[in-house]
Amino acid sequence: MHFETRAIRVGQEPDEATGATIVPIYQTSTFTQEEIGRNKGFEYTRSGNPTRAALEACLASLEEGKYGLSFASGLAAEHAVLSMLRPGDHVIAPFDLYGGTYRLFTQVLEPMNIRFTFLDFTDPVKLASAFLPETRMAWIETPTNPTLKIFDIAAIVNECHRHNVLSVVDNTFATPYFQKPLSLEADIVVHSTTKYINGHSDVVGGAVVVNDKVIWNKVRFYQNSIGGVSSPFDAWLTLRGLKTLAVRMQQHERNAFAVARFLQKHPKIEGVLYPGLEGHPGYNTAKKQMTGFGGLVSVYLKGGFSEVNLFLKNLKVFSLAESLGGVESLANYSTRMTHASYPEKLKNQIGITDNLVRLSVGLEHADDLTDDLKQALAKF
Ligand SMILES: *Cc1c(COP(=O)(O)O)cnc(C)c1O
């Protein structure tokens, strides 16, 4: 079946007990057992819940993977995956990461003696020489947050295979609608479902999808043992949002193109980062591995903090807020918001400067979005 159909149908058969067309919210912590050791497949909601199971099945199907796991947040999903590492193990990762991922790596895992090497993943020579005998995992995030760099998943995964290293792809920005890392032979996909997958800015959640049963069992063990599971209600809301992922992503992309093209021509804009623009350094790789370019546009304003502040204060349709991927357009000042936990030096190196604004282009009418940007740019 096609993506659109699977989003609406997989894991979502009518309820066996009542015929309810929509998967019910099984808001229960526990399940009554018929006799010792006999139950209907569920015992305790941390270990498994039917609403969560429906979401997990659907997520797996959309990523074209075999097994899905749903978590209380993207970072909880990442932590469950990283729990496979042991002291002394080494991980390679790009300089460009979601700020919270970088904080998890450097402030939670490094003190536990897991070592990280950060490097430029667009440089194949540097990448090839970053693998050590202790390297167990490569962490790939593409497109990156917030500078929208594109890394060649197949090339990096190929290098990982040569070194017998697990590859993890954070697919939050592209979503499975535009990019399927497991089909490019990555081992593990992680998501912040908070973003496009739920899509309505009303749930914090995360997911892991894999093809390998051994990896699935390991991550599932950590999901249950650490306990960062999604609640039945959050799983239900996410499943509700997920049904429309395909149409939302198409419109996010159309609106993002409209915003990117408008900003490209504006005299108060120094530069526009959108992987769908031919001048973008990752354009060819994006075309190769993605079926669309997504809904995020980052922009360098002419000016510094005070100009950006005036611009952001005067936006009326775009909201100044953390997060992305919802139906409403958001503007984020990465250096002080999502990437506040990044060291200054690293921020400058990867292009998170004080005139950079990340726009999560929502589903309002494109003309209202460009009009809003136009009036706010006129304020400085
Ligand atoms: C938001 C985000 C995360 C973290 O997810 P939470 O749901 O906020 O815990 C991880 N990776 C990327 C790319 C993100 O945008």
Side-chain angles (χ1 to χ4, degrees), residues 157-367:
V157 165
N158 189 37
E159 203 62 43
C160 288
H161 284 166
R162 292 206 312 124
H163 293 88
N164 201 18
V165 161
L166 282 176
S167 50
V168 183
V169 178
D170 183 336
N171 203 26
T172 299
F173 272 33
T175 83
Y177 186 68
F178 285 142
Q179 178 169 277
K180 294 185 182 64
L182 297 179
S183 308
L184 300 168
E185 295 191 40
D187 296 302
I188 301 173
V189 167
V190 298
H191 273 286
S192 170
T193 55
T194 311
K195 316 294 168 52
Y196 288 110
I197 285 187
N198 176 61
H200 294 74
S201 306
D202 49 14
V203 183
V204 172
V208 174
V209 182
V210 301
N211 265 323
D212 184 285
K213 195 166 186 177
V214 174
I215 301 176
W216 175 56
N217 276 321
K218 282 186 187 170
V219 181
R220 196 160 61 123
F221 172 81
Y222 292 117
Q223 181 192 40
N224 187 41
S225 303
I226 301 170
V229 296
S230 43
S231 73
F233 185 48
D234 282 359
W236 185 85
L237 277 173
T238 305
L239 195 56
R240 184 188 213 259
L242 187 52
K243 289 174 198 282
T244 55
L245 183 64
V247 283
R248 283 189 285 112
M249 292 315 290
Q250 289 165 23
Q251 192 61 34
H252 277 298
E253 186 188 41
R254 268 184 229 121
N255 283 359
F257 262 115
V259 163
R261 292 200 173 112
F262 165 78
L263 290 171
Q264 239 187 344
K265 285 181 276 176
H266 198 283
K268 286 189 179 164
I269 297 299
E270 193 179 280
V272 176
L273 302 173
Y274 184 64
L277 298 176
E278 280 181 36
H280 187 281
Y283 175 75
N284 287 325
T285 309
K287 266 197 96 152
K288 185 179 74 169
Q289 69 189 16
M290 302 173 77
T291 52
F293 302 102
L296 284 143
V297 178
S298 290
V299 56
Y300 291 105
L301 270 60
K302 283 189 182 153
F305 174 78
S306 54
E307 286 79 8
V308 171
N309 196 31
L310 271 173
F311 167 71
L312 291 173
K313 252 182 21 189
N314 282 291
L315 287 170
K316 292 187 170 68
V317 181
F318 282 83
S319 310
L320 176 61
E322 302 262 2
S323 203
L324 60 104
V327 294
E328 59 288 306
S329 293
L330 303 178
N332 174 70
Y333 190 48
S334 302
T335 189
R336 298 259 185 114
M337 293 167 72
T338 48
H339 286 69
S341 58
Y342 249 64
E344 281 310 313
K345 195 171 153 244
L346 191 51
K347 280 197 279 199
N348 284 325
Q349 183 183 335
I350 63 179
I352 306 177
T353 52
D354 66 358
N355 62 336
L356 179 72
V357 173
R358 188 194 72 194
L359 301 172
S360 173
V361 181
L363 304 184
E364 302 91 344
H365 196 286
D367 293 348

Side-chain angles (χ1 to χ4, degrees), residues 50-71:
T51 314
R52 192 175 94 215
L55 172 62
E56 291 177 333
C58 189
L59 285 167
S61 170
L62 296 185
E63 282 288 357
E64 294 176 11
K66 288 205 182 89
Y67 309 104
L69 294 165
S70 168
F71 291 83

